[in-house]
Amino acid sequence: MKRQVKIMKPTPNEDKILHQEKEIFDLKQLLQISKSLNSVLQFDRLIEAILYVVMAQLKTFGAAIFTKKSFDDNLFVLNRDHHGFDISRDIQYSINVDHPLISFLDKSDSGHTPDEISRHIKIDKIVKDLFSLRPSFFVPLKAKNRMIGFLLLGEKIESSHEFTDYEKSIIENIASLAAIAINNSQLLEMTTTDIMTHLKLKHYFFTLLMERLDTINSSSFKKDALSILMLDIDFFKQVNDTYGHAAGDIVLEEVARVIKSCTRNADTAARYGGEEFVVMLNNTPSNAAMAIAERIRKLVEDKVILYNGQSIKVTISIGVSSYNFDLEPAKSIVERADKALYESKQNGRNRVTLSKNNLPKC
């Protein structure tokens, strides 16, 4: 005779206790999320952190964020860090801040499904492109009553594609924390970025460099390499005297664009002053740093800069130094790169020179 096992259902009171325990757990999670997000101010790292938090907490296969490229931009564009979406190279995933979809999302806090959006606004090509990503939910990101972007959630891991009211409240809270963190990061970006070149300012560069050296000098990071590039535009005064200061500004912008194109998210490029630039290359030994410097030098040499129908060509000189793990201060590493830059200038310009401290001893 088989023994029957009776499954006891939770009583209403037990259900209530379980729900309260879940709420307490979720509140603790939100507190941890808040601490985590507000401790990361570098924009790219922050976006990555937000996406992982969203996927873990909301149990989705993917997440993506649309934000502005600059504080005063009129477009929300898909951030290059995204997970779980099949991105087409033929589509530019961007949307104007005045688009009806943005206005519709701005009226909500917790967000909307694609079906809800379809019932309320006209589906044009821009919205079709977003829908082609097959998102399960659109979530507005608001800080100080201002929409600073929106979040796309991928397909839910669980079988149900519908978010419950409780889940929507969690989404709203996470979105609010994410928006505040993004807004703070953008404000920091404004105060630490050179307006003309869009590279970092000198004082902020040194702050990041000192932090990086502290990390390297800790026991678990002793083998991490770090290199510095000092770059200067050759005969820049002649450009200003010949074509005018407006042309000189364009030359600075174009050279900065080349420098940025040759660096990674983990690196930091800054305007050091005037026509001089500095770059911190993380996890990069001197031989790799020399190759990067040579690539920048060649790209600038080959570039033709157009201004008022005139073609302008410039060259740059570069000095390279690398950290040698002897507790050398940040200022000293930069000064060594600066001395190497001076050697490049003395030896004919338009060349790359490695600091004598990094050369092999005979």
Side-chain angles (χ1 to χ4, degrees):
M1 182 177 178
K2 290 184 178 180
R3 186 177 178 182
Q4 290 185 340
V5 179
K6 189 175 182 181
I7 300 173
M8 301 292 292
K9 290 185 178 180
T11 65
N13 192 46
E14 288 173 331
D15 269 338
K16 186 177 180 181
I17 291 172
L18 287 172
H19 184 71
Q20 287 175 337
E21 287 177 346
K22 178 170 173 52
E23 285 185 333
I24 292 170
F25 175 79
D26 288 337
L27 285 171
K28 287 180 179 178
Q29 289 290 97
L30 288 171
L31 180 60
Q32 287 300 114
I33 290 168
S34 178
K35 288 180 179 178
S36 174
L37 295 184
N38 283 289
S39 67
V40 181
L41 288 175
Q42 191 172 337
F43 188 74
D44 291 320
R45 287 176 56 203
L46 174 63
I47 295 298
E48 186 76 8
I50 290 170
L51 295 179
Y52 281 126
V53 164
V54 166
M55 289 191 294
Q57 295 298 315
L58 303 177
K59 297 180 176 61
T60 66
F61 283 111
I65 288 181
F66 282 71
T67 57
K68 295 178 181 179
K69 284 187 175 180
S70 61
F71 209 73
D72 57 351
D73 203 354
N74 290 321
L75 287 175
F76 290 121
V77 298
L78 177 64
N79 190 277
R80 59 186 168 187
D81 291 318
H82 50 76
H83 300 281
F85 292 105
D86 188 11
I87 304 297
S88 171
R89 293 184 179 180
D90 299 325
I91 297 175
Q92 286 188 336
Y93 299 98
S94 63
I95 184 167
N96 196 283
V97 294
D98 296 326
H99 192 279
L101 174 60
I102 302 303
S103 300
F104 179 66
L105 290 175
D106 197 19
K107 296 173 184 175
S108 168
D109 288 321
S110 60
H112 294 282
T113 65
D115 287 342
E116 290 170 340
I117 292 169
S118 299
R119 291 196 295 268
H120 289 88
I121 69 167
K122 183 180 178 181
I123 307 302
D124 58 12
K125 184 182 183 305
I126 292 171
V127 179
K128 279 183 180 178
D129 287 342
L130 297 181
F131 281 7
S132 70
L133 297 174
R134 301 180 66 186
S136 64
F137 216 63
F138 286 69
V139 187
L141 297 172
K142 297 180 184 178
K144 297 182 179 179
N145 296 319
R146 181 174 60 87
M147 190 163 158
I148 61 169
F150 62 94
L151 180 69
L152 285 191
L153 303 184
E155 183 183 350
K156 288 189 68 178
I157 293 174
E158 298 170 353
S159 57
S160 172
H161 291 278
E162 297 295 325
F163 287 99
T164 65
D165 289 340
Y166 180 75
E167 286 174 324
K168 287 180 181 179
S169 72
I170 295 295
I171 290 171
E172 184 178 335
N173 286 325
I174 292 176
S176 179
L177 294 174
I180 292 169
I182 289 171
N183 189 61
N184 290 342
S185 177
Q186 289 176 334
L187 289 173
L188 178 68
E189 190 80 10
M190 287 176 63
T191 57
T192 60
T193 302
D194 178 59
I195 295 173
M196 181 184 298
T197 62
H198 301 292
L199 301 181
K200 292 302 177 186
L201 295 172
K202 178 180 176 180
H203 72 87
Y204 187 61
F205 173 85
F206 271 101
T207 299
L208 294 179
L209 177 56
M210 287 187 287
E211 288 178 357
R212 184 61 184 156
L213 289 177
D214 286 343
T215 303
I216 290 174
N217 290 323
S218 67
S219 59
S220 57
F221 288 91
K222 274 291 183 183
K223 293 184 179 179
D224 282 5
L226 178 146
S227 294
I228 299 293
L229 310 183
M230 285 291 292
L231 313 93
D232 185 83
I233 302 175
D234 299 325
F235 303 112
F236 184 69
K237 185 176 182 299
Q238 289 183 13
V239 174
N240 283 331
D241 292 345
T242 304
Y243 302 101
H245 287 277
D249 290 347
I250 291 174
V251 169
L252 287 170
E253 291 171 11
E254 290 299 319
V255 171
R257 195 170 285 116
V258 170
I259 293 171
K260 201 166 186 178
S261 72
C262 295
T263 57
R264 306 156 300 178
N265 288 343
D267 304 324
T268 302
R271 187 178 180 187
Y272 200 73
E275 67 273 20
E276 202 167 25
F277 304 91
V278 62
V279 180
M280 174 173 62
L281 299 172
N282 277 306
N283 302 320
T284 308
S286 58
N287 58 341
M290 288 290 287
I292 294 168
E294 179 59 28
R295 184 182 174 207
I296 293 172
R297 186 204 65 77
K298 189 71 169 63
L299 286 171
V300 171
E301 181 184 37
D302 293 342
K303 192 172 189 61
V304 178
I305 301 168
L306 299 177
Y307 174 74
N308 283 348
Q310 300 179 87
S311 298
I312 304 174
K313 295 200 71 173
V314 296
T315 60
I316 58 172
S317 298
I318 306 175
V320 179
S321 67
S322 294
Y323 186 55
N324 50 20
F325 302 100
D326 61 355
L327 301 181
E328 182 182 16
K331 186 178 179 182
S332 175
I333 307 172
V334 174
E335 284 177 349
R336 286 202 290 110
D338 198 32
K339 286 180 182 177
L341 166 62
Y342 180 76
E343 287 186 41
S344 290
K345 292 281 190 183
Q346 290 294 102
N347 292 325
R349 295 179 170 83
N350 190 25
R351 65 186 64 229
V352 179
T353 302
L354 180 64
S355 168
K356 286 185 171 62
N357 288 45
N358 293 119
L359 293 172
K361 294 179 181 179
C362 299

